[in-house]
Amino acid sequence: MAIFSVYVVNKAGGLIYQLDNQTPRSETEKTFSFPLDLVLKVHDERLLVSFGQRDGIRVGHAVLSINGIDVNGKYTAEGKEVLEYLANPSNYPLSIRFGRPRLSSNEKLMLASMFHSLFAIGSQLSPEPGSSGIEMLETDTFKLHCYQTLTGIKFMVLSDPRQAGIDALLRKIYELYSDYALKNPFYSLEMPIRCELFEQNLKSALEVAEKAGTFGPSS
């Protein structure tokens, strides 16, 4: 089983913590000769496949690395402009790794804010007063679980649809937040969580939940 990521959103809808725990393997690496038989274009500061599909590489996939060197947007980690590098025949043969574009920090902030709004809409649409809001969204590839505290903090976990014990895990994350963030004299409410002990214990809790399929005897 797998737990993909954890989000903590404050009562105003701001993302105050996010952890990518496990990324599904949807990447493909191939060796190419010149000329490159794929069309690449820059979109939202990412280099994406706009035409041509082969061997698991799809339109919309991003260039993640070249010859094992990570690509950040339009440039490699060494500062080379990717399109210019790929246009030079002397650089071939070369290996390119493609995959789904990674979410940027700004995109994660925006998505957290959007879910906060959906949560509020879900509460207002309820035919009965006092609705808890959205507790779970399910797709064919993942489930989004949400636990909102009495103070309005939302803890969200994205997991494999078959992963069990998420309700207990969400409450465990709340417990860790209370112990390591709220009791930290340097932490300000509603502000981003930057606490090493919180993150260390969170990772341990996620590891236990993944291995056991549950978390603790009560789940």
Side-chain angles (χ1 to χ4, degrees), residues 118-128 131:
L118 285 174
F119 189 96
I121 291 171
S123 299
Q124 293 173 2
L125 287 174
S126 171
E128 297 290 337
S131 169

Side-chain angles (χ1 to χ4, degrees), residues 84-106:
E84 184 178 314
Y85 184 83
L86 296 177
N88 187 344
S90 65
N91 292 324
Y92 289 79
L94 49 74
S95 176
I96 306 177
R97 180 163 54 92
F98 294 88
R100 181 180 175 182
R102 297 169 183 144
L103 291 175
S104 67
S105 297
N106 285 339

Side-chain angles (χ1 to χ4, degrees), residues 136-149:
M136 186 181 73
L137 293 175
E138 183 173 2
T139 75
D140 58 337
T141 57
F142 75 93
K143 284 184 180 179
L144 185 155
H145 304 259
C146 179
Y147 171 63
Q148 178 173 258
T149 69

Side-chain angles (χ1 to χ4, degrees), residues 3 23 26 39 50 74 123 133 149 161 199 211:
I3 296 169
T23 304
S26 58
V39 178
S50 64
K74 300 180 289 184
S123 299
T149 69
E199 184 155 305
K211 288 181 178 178

